[in-house]
Amino acid sequence: MNSQTPINLMLVEDERIVAFDLKNQLQSFGYRVGAMVGSGEQALACIAKVAPDLVLMDIHLEGAMDGVMAATEIQQRHQIPVIYLTAFAEDDTLQRALASRPFGYLVKPWDVRELHASIQMALARREIELAVENSELRLKLALDAASLAVFEWLPQSNRLHGDGHLSALFGDTRMPLDESWEAFIARVHDDDRARVTEALGQARCCGETVHIEFRTLRTNGGPHVLEANVRAYSGPCSEGRVVGILQDVTQRRQSEDSLRRSSVVFHTAAEAIVIASAERQVVAVNAAFTRITGYSEAEALGFDTDLLLGVQRGGHDSAAFFATLAAGPDSYWQGEVLCQRRSGERFPAWQSLSVVRDPLNQVSNFVIAFSDVSEIHVVEERLNHLAHHDPLTGLPNRLLFDDRLGQAIELARRQKHSCLLLFLDLDSFKVVNDTLGHSVGDELLRVIAGRLRDTLRGTDTVARLGGDEFVILASGASEKYAAELARKILNTVRLPVSLSCQKITVSASIGIAVYPANGNNQHLLMRAADIAMYSAKSAGRNRYCFYSQEMAAHTNERLLLEQGLRYAIEEKQLSVLYQPQVKLASGQIFGVEALLRWQHPELGMVPPDRFIPIAEESGVIDSLGRWVLERACRDIAGLRNATGEQLRLAVNVSAREFRREDFIHTLSETLAQTGFPAEALEIEITESTLQVIERSIEILGALKRLGIAVSIDDFGTGYSSLSILRDLPIDRIKIDRSFITHLPEKKDGVAIVKAMVALAGSLHMAIIAEGIESPEQAAILRQLGCDGGQGYLFSRPVAHPALTLLLADAPDLH
């Protein structure tokens, strides 16, 4: 206690005379009596105000609260030492007094010097307790400040005690820690338990401080990493203990891992990274910086980055740029700059700048990252070229041509000039592609593209739209020049091309449109040239045509037919008629040919020679062919000829249908669904289709295996190799009506038919003539040995009901 300040005492005594006598005695020893009260309630009421250093307490007091009860409250609330002064020393009174942890117990009468000694000893004890409490408080505050926990392991009792930041480390652990070793080790990660046990055992044996790190289980938001420093201390009777400090180093380890990863990223990044000071002087660079710029770290240190690399940043002054960046709210910039390598070579770079600030928000560093984008620029140029040029021929593609055409039209509009557009399509290119392969076809396109490029003026443009289609733009030229150019192109394209060890010759069809006469915008002009090109093809190919309004009308009609065909089946505009086929010798009907008819709602009855070619070009022929086959098989199934046999059915099939992979499957499926016998079905193909069949002989073989007959329709109008007729399984030849029309007047016609009949006989094929309209034609065909015929002489094509009546009324047609 402070010797200069009188010790302040409180007397709690209900006998006033005794209290005043005791006060006088205490004052004689230099004590200060701050208060004298007669009950426990009064003591509690004024003790906070008096703040005594010690309380002298009688046990038996007036009021409900005796001295022991008052002393207990004083200890709990104010931690002020109490000495009991009482005339009673019974065991029960003594036990109650001991429970209040008094600092002395004097039994009346006492000697004043004994009281003085007791007071001094009590105050000395309290001073030591306060020192210990302050020391413990300082330790606790230190543990809190460092986020540490202290623990003690007693191996003999196998208990572990601890205090400090254990709740932060173990989540649900109560504080202070007091649990068995097994409970504690169960909180440690499974993989680290053996290591922790071994470390504590090592600490017991060696007596040195042992350092260990371990992980906890997933508690308190996730696993934690703890760092422990432990040491063993010996005790009495060989009872030792292990004391240690625990610290949660999870955040520190995460930060260290992050720093390590950042260091790896910094040194291994493909981008060049520069760390510069606030004055823009190089502090550190990574390996990519040296690889990209040629400067080593030693050469770069201390230099201004922009001066070292000669950075050009869109005309911005370097110092002003960095000052603006540092003052801005974002503290980040990226963009393309131009840099210079150590060798002096300039290169484009994509640069990112970040401002690093210290805790006072002052600029401490700049982090500069950049990559060489030279290759990206090269790739962009290549991509731009690919985006605007045909990869096969190197010519401008549709995108670039549309742009040039638009510019040419705009220039012609301003200068009131004309410009020409030529649309070119190669004739029979598909045959070359299918026969010799796509690689040969591609090489042919490259040769033709080169020829077109060499034929044109430097101001003209030729582009490939796709496939075998090319367009040519001639600005400010006349129609006379267009015609001369078209003839020149046709002659150039016709020149033989040596490909695949053979010479190939192709021709072209060219359509020509003139701005502004044939169209005042790109779309109309392209459409006009396209229409003119199709007209050139229709006129015989290997020629050019200028656009006209008549062509447009024809094209519109063709479009109307094509679109109408796509809905003709659904809207029930199609019908199938049947023309009887008879034996010329007896007039007996042995079969019918299915003929498709189309009743258009606007155009009326459209003849097959108008819509069938359109159906083949547009691909609608596939659905039409399937529909006709199924309808005809259902209609004719069960109809009998005069001898009671199933009436034969002939159905025309286009070359496109033969090329379908599912043709045989579709045919078999239709026969199964309709119940029509395969041996009564005959597939008619045109003579030109033989070129396709020659490469698809397996299709004919499959037809023969099904029992289906095959006949060549319009025989004599195309080109047929005798080897094809000999080698392919053809059952019947149909003589085209063009050879029958002028019989018997034309003698050469008779000779041709006679040769056809002889050819069919030598090849063991049946033969039938179509288009017979007079008895004379039928008679001469019988004389020449023709087996059968069909035509208006016998019957026009009729609907199914009329055919049924015809078979019933006149099974033999003479």
Side-chain angles (χ1 to χ4, degrees), residues 435-732:
T435 305
L436 301 179
H438 290 284
S439 59
V440 176
D442 289 346
E443 185 59 30
L444 176 61
L445 290 174
R446 280 191 286 265
V447 172
I448 297 299
R451 290 181 179 180
L452 293 175
R453 214 170 10 228
D454 297 339
T455 304
L456 301 177
R457 302 175 303 183
T459 57
D460 298 337
T461 298
V462 57
R464 179 180 176 231
L465 300 184
D468 58 342
E469 294 181 340
F470 298 86
V471 283
I472 298 164
L473 173 64
S475 302
S478 63
E479 293 187 21
K480 179 180 179 182
Y481 171 75
E484 293 175 354
L485 178 60
R487 286 192 293 268
K488 188 176 180 181
I489 290 174
L490 292 175
N491 293 332
T492 301
V493 171
R494 265 199 313 266
L495 295 176
V497 181
S498 297
L499 297 174
S500 188
C501 302
Q502 58 182 302
K503 287 188 176 181
I504 298 173
T505 302
V506 293
S507 60
S509 298
I510 300 175
I512 305 173
V514 182
Y515 171 84
N518 304 142
N520 59 4
N521 59 46
Q522 294 171 250
H523 172 71
L524 294 177
L525 203 62
M526 285 285 288
R527 181 173 178 273
D530 190 17
I531 291 173
M533 183 273 293
Y534 275 106
S535 296
K537 278 191 177 295
S538 301
R541 305 187 177 188
N542 190 29
R543 65 192 64 220
Y544 65 89
C545 284
F546 281 89
Y547 172 80
S548 66
Q549 288 296 332
E550 292 76 12
M551 293 178 185
H554 177 73
T555 301
N556 291 334
E557 180 183 315
R558 183 185 183 281
L559 179 61
L560 179 64
L561 293 177
E562 179 182 333
Q563 295 301 316
L565 278 173
R566 299 185 184 279
Y567 305 101
I569 296 176
E570 297 177 4
E571 297 179 1
K572 300 181 180 180
Q573 299 172 8
L574 298 176
S575 61
V576 179
L577 302 183
Y578 303 97
Q579 187 170 37
Q581 296 176 331
V582 302
K583 294 180 180 180
L584 294 181
S586 62
Q588 181 186 28
I589 300 176
F590 68 86
V592 292
E593 179 183 3
L595 300 173
L596 180 63
R597 294 294 182 265
W598 181 20
Q599 182 68 36
H600 193 278
E602 299 176 14
L603 303 177
M605 183 62 70
V606 182
D609 58 353
R610 285 181 62 188
F611 70 82
I612 291 297
I614 296 175
E616 290 181 343
E617 291 178 12
S618 62
V620 182
I621 193 66
D622 292 338
S623 57
L624 289 182
R626 283 193 292 267
W627 183 82
V628 170
L629 178 64
E630 181 180 351
R631 177 66 179 273
C633 286
R634 292 190 185 278
D635 284 349
I636 306 305
L639 294 183
R640 307 290 175 177
N641 60 20
T643 61
E645 297 175 344
Q646 167 67 53
L647 197 66
R648 295 187 64 81
L649 171 65
V651 179
N652 290 277
V653 175
S654 69
R656 179 187 175 93
E657 292 178 86
F658 264 90
R659 289 195 293 270
R660 288 204 328 265
E661 293 183 358
D662 63 340
F663 174 67
I664 297 298
H665 173 74
T666 301
L667 192 59
S668 302
E669 192 176 61
T670 302
L671 292 176
Q673 290 175 352
T674 60
F676 193 86
E679 60 274 9
L681 179 63
E682 181 176 293
I683 297 299
E684 292 189 5
I685 57 176
T686 60
E687 196 172 0
S688 59
T689 309
L690 288 176
Q691 304 301 323
V692 177
I693 298 176
E694 186 179 17
R695 295 186 294 107
S696 306
I697 192 170
E698 66 274 8
I699 298 178
L700 291 176
L703 292 174
K704 297 300 291 184
R705 287 191 293 274
L706 290 173
I708 300 173
V710 178
S711 65
I712 299 178
D713 194 14
D714 300 334
F715 185 77
T717 60
Y719 167 76
S720 296
S721 168
L722 292 179
S723 63
I724 294 176
L725 294 177
R726 179 195 64 197
D727 297 335
L728 295 181
I730 306 299
D731 298 287
R732 189 189 304 273

Side-chain angles (χ1 to χ4, degrees), residues 400-411 413 473 522:
L400 180 56
F401 183 79
D402 285 346
D403 180 66
R404 292 187 180 178
L405 178 59
Q407 293 179 20
I409 290 176
E410 183 59 32
L411 181 63
R413 178 181 291 114
L473 173 64
Q522 294 171 250

Side-chain angles (χ1 to χ4, degrees), residues 144-165:
D144 287 342
S147 298
L148 297 176
V150 61
F151 72 94
E152 178 185 36
W153 175 43
L154 302 175
Q156 297 298 325
S157 61
N158 203 28
R159 300 287 298 178
L160 191 135
H161 306 280
D163 204 350
H165 280 254

